[in-house]
Amino acid sequence: MPVLLAMSSVFAAMGLSTLASHLLPSTDTTNSVILLIGLAVGVDYSLFYIRREREERAKGRGHLDAVEIAAETSGHAVVVSGIAVMIAMAGLFLATDVVFSSLAVGSILVVAVSVIGSLTVLPALLAKLGRWVDRPRVPLLWRLSARRAGAPRIWPALLRPALRRPVLALVISVGALLALAVPAAGMKMKFPGMEDLPRTTPAMQAYDRLTAAFPSTGTAHYLAVEAPAADAPRVKAALAALAREAGGDPLFAPVEADGPDIEQSADGTVSVLQVATPYHTRTDEARQSLDRLRDVYVPEAMSGLSNVDYAVGGDVAGSVDYAAHIKRKLPLVMAFVLILTFVVMVLTFRSVVVALTSILLNLLSVGAAYGLLVLVFQGTWAEGLLGFTSMGSIVTWLPLFLFVVLFGLSMDYHVFVVSRIREAVQRGVSNRDAVAYGITSSAGTVSSAAIVMVAVFSIFATLSTIDMKQLGIGLAAAILLDATIIRAVVLPSVMTLLGDANWWAPRFLRKRQPARHASQPERELVSVH
């Protein structure tokens, strides 16, 4: 059922994104991202709902009562989680990039459809099917899950160190994640070039045969100049002088015998000079040649002209400029996502502390994922293991996209787990036992959802293109870290240390909790000693 509901959300979102493409530009990668995000959140939300409904039926409730309780608890968590994911994906609009805007539209649509389906179609199906929702049973898996229907054993054992010695557990776990995040400080960003594309595809095999027959090295910069038509001869002379001067620089190729390659528009207002360099696009020398052209040769050549506009483009400039654009926009996107997520978490849990810890834990997870990407893909040690050739950098668009996706998806787990902890606290359970109950009671669902996510993301890691491989490895590793170290060690350690301070909020945010009805039975809590 979770897979069917997730796929229905994916197909619905693809249809809606087609309609949205009449208003906003769409790219050919939008449907791939819809599939990626849709499977992840669709399966997650369905699992949250179904596992809670099963849990309530196992306690003796009728199936309609179980569905109502699941709607009140897991349904609320799904709404909050969906809002958090959509806020994160909306941050892509601030990148002012057509591709990111297209991905934002597709992601927001599929999350919205998944949330609506989880609040309408899923509870209706559960109410209609009743106990038949567990039919047909997979014999071996059903026996294993039936054995676990009582008090869980594995997760209490895993939680015990964090609850008994929270300071030590916190220092070790956070220290390990920070150590993993340190390499991210040396992250380099570049666009993949022709040399980074897989040579097994027919297109690249044809390209290799063509370059073997007609050898060429290096790349070229393109200087475009716009000036009044009356100044066209002076512009052409200035460009020719620039080409000759650059030709004597070892960073550039010598000028051809028939003179520099200068083209002018029919009206004489636009002139384009091609300046060749013998170095490939992603080399340091190619970057140095671009800097020297922009900082030295072009300003000198244009200094004697008035009313001119000029710019240097080409493959090297495109890679450098886009990386600089992403670096400028990333802090803005991060601030937008962090602030709005903080507001949503404060309003949901009525706690400033819970909101702050949520953001800090997710930032820790994202930082560790960045560091892991740098370790794996900027070096060469993992080339044989993962089947790629290192380009010495991370694909330019990946850090920003990874941030919003990981931050949004990490909120899935966090909202679900903290919601269970708060349930116990509101029933008068001690903070330590509430943390143990919340994590152990949600561990099966979180683990199952994480396995599904990692499996989906790992598919991308098997693709031959370097950008998809980096995306798959980054997402899979981050979700794995988040569902294990963050949720099993860091979160319980922090919440145990903070105690009642977890639920602190200014007076205007506090609301009086309704008294529990006498007929409402207590939840069965799991204590870890």
Side-chain angles (χ1 to χ4, degrees):
M1 184 182 292
V3 175
L4 291 176
L5 289 173
M7 290 305 301
S8 65
S9 299
V10 167
F11 291 137
M14 286 181 177
L16 292 173
S17 69
T18 302
L19 294 176
S21 67
H22 293 281
L23 301 175
L24 294 171
S26 182
T27 64
D28 54 0
T29 57
T30 302
N31 285 344
S32 298
V33 172
I34 288 176
L35 178 63
L36 179 79
I37 303 297
L39 283 177
V41 300
V43 171
D44 272 9
Y45 296 162
S46 298
L47 283 176
F48 292 168
Y49 226 108
I50 293 173
R51 290 295 290 265
R52 186 57 185 261
E53 189 266 350
R54 277 183 175 178
E55 179 183 327
E56 297 303 326
R57 280 196 288 112
K59 294 177 180 178
R61 300 181 188 276
H63 75 273
L64 289 180
D65 289 337
V67 171
E68 288 181 1
I69 294 175
E72 181 183 354
T73 54
S74 294
H76 179 263
V78 165
V79 172
V80 175
S81 174
I83 292 173
V85 176
M86 286 188 282
I87 286 174
M89 301 310 299
L92 291 175
F93 287 119
L94 299 180
T96 60
D97 180 87
V98 172
V99 175
F100 282 138
S101 296
S102 174
L103 299 183
V105 170
S107 301
I108 291 172
L109 285 174
V110 76
V111 173
V113 173
S114 298
V115 170
I116 293 172
S118 298
L119 298 180
T120 56
V121 178
L122 182 56
L125 286 175
L126 291 176
K128 185 68 175 178
L129 293 174
R131 296 183 181 276
W132 287 97
V133 73
D134 295 327
R135 304 292 195 278
R137 298 174 177 177
V138 180
L140 178 60
L141 295 179
W142 180 259
R143 291 193 186 97
L144 291 175
S145 61
R147 289 176 185 174
R148 293 196 299 262
R153 297 179 181 178
I154 297 178
W155 277 92
L158 294 176
L159 280 176
R160 195 170 293 121
L163 297 178
R164 284 184 174 178
R165 295 179 176 84
V167 175
L168 181 62
L170 184 63
V171 170
I172 293 175
S173 57
V174 171
L177 291 172
L178 288 177
L180 189 57
V182 166
M187 180 184 291
K188 300 176 183 177
M189 294 188 293
K190 291 181 182 178
F191 266 133
M194 297 294 289
E195 60 271 25
D196 301 309
L197 297 176
R199 317 322 283 183
T200 55
T201 60
M204 293 313 301
Q205 290 173 354
Y207 173 81
D208 289 339
R209 289 195 296 269
L210 182 64
T211 54
F214 302 95
S216 64
T217 59
T219 185
H221 307 293
Y222 294 88
L223 170 59
V225 180
E226 184 180 21
D231 292 335
R234 296 178 60 204
V235 170
K236 188 172 184 178
L239 293 179
L242 184 156
R244 288 192 296 270
E245 185 176 2
D249 190 320
L251 288 175
F252 299 92
V255 178
E256 298 288 342
D258 56 351
D261 184 3
I262 302 175
E263 296 181 2
Q264 288 187 313
S265 62
D267 61 1
T269 59
V270 177
S271 303
V272 178
L273 168 67
Q274 179 177 325
V275 184
T277 175
Y279 302 101
H280 287 294
T281 303
R282 73 183 190 196
T283 60
D284 292 336
E285 290 83 0
R287 169 65 185 269
Q288 292 170 13
S289 69
L290 174 67
D291 292 339
R292 188 166 300 178
L293 189 63
R294 284 177 165 176
D295 299 339
V296 179
Y297 294 129
V298 174
E300 288 180 355
M302 298 294 108
S303 61
L305 301 172
S306 58
N307 299 322
V308 296
D309 291 320
Y310 58 86
V312 178
D315 291 340
V316 180
S319 178
V320 171
D321 293 345
Y322 193 70
H325 173 76
I326 294 298
K327 288 180 180 179
R328 287 195 306 270
K329 294 297 183 179
L330 185 57
L332 178 63
V333 173
M334 291 179 68
F336 172 84
V337 173
L338 295 178
I339 292 172
L340 288 189
T341 302
F342 175 79
V343 172
V344 170
M345 295 297 287
V346 167
L347 295 178
T348 300
F349 293 103
R350 303 287 172 171
S351 169
V352 173
V353 178
V354 166
L356 284 175
T357 54
S358 302
I359 288 174
L360 291 176
L361 293 187
N362 284 347
L363 285 176
L364 189 61
S365 177
V366 172
Y370 281 176
L372 185 64
L373 273 179
V374 172
L375 282 175
V376 172
F377 289 101
Q378 283 191 193
T380 58
W381 65 272
E383 289 181 337
L385 182 64
L386 297 176
F388 72 97
T389 300
S390 175
M391 55 185 280
S393 57
I394 305 302
V395 177
T396 308
W397 56 267
L398 200 60
L400 193 151
F401 184 70
L402 269 182
F403 173 79
V404 296
V405 172
L406 291 178
F407 204 90
L409 295 183
S410 294
M411 277 297 171
D412 274 357
Y413 304 143
H414 197 82
V415 169
F416 186 64
V417 173
V418 175
S419 295
R420 300 302 293 265
I421 295 173
R422 189 177 67 161
E423 282 183 35
V425 170
Q426 289 176 343
R427 286 171 171 77
V429 178
S430 68
N431 181 76
R432 183 175 179 274
D433 287 342
V435 171
Y437 164 73
I439 294 178
T440 54
S441 62
S442 60
T445 305
V446 170
S447 300
S448 301
I451 290 172
V452 172
M453 279 197 186
V454 171
V456 171
F457 297 150
S458 296
I459 295 174
F460 284 75
T462 63
L463 300 179
S464 55
T465 56
I466 189 66
D467 52 353
M468 290 295 104
K469 192 175 289 289
Q470 289 185 2
L471 176 64
I473 294 293
L475 289 174
I479 294 299
L480 192 60
L481 288 172
D482 191 82
T484 53
I485 297 178
I486 296 291
R487 305 304 158 199
V489 183
V490 181
L491 177 62
S493 300
V494 169
M495 297 196 75
T496 300
L497 283 173
L498 291 174
D500 292 338
N502 282 302
W503 314 106
W504 180 86
R507 181 172 298 178
F508 70 91
L509 282 175
R510 302 172 194 168
K511 67 177 181 179
R512 190 174 180 179
Q513 297 296 334
R516 182 173 53 85
H517 195 275
S519 63
Q520 185 179 9
E522 294 280 356
R523 297 283 191 267
E524 181 182 355
L525 302 182
V526 178
S527 179
V528 178
H529 300 289

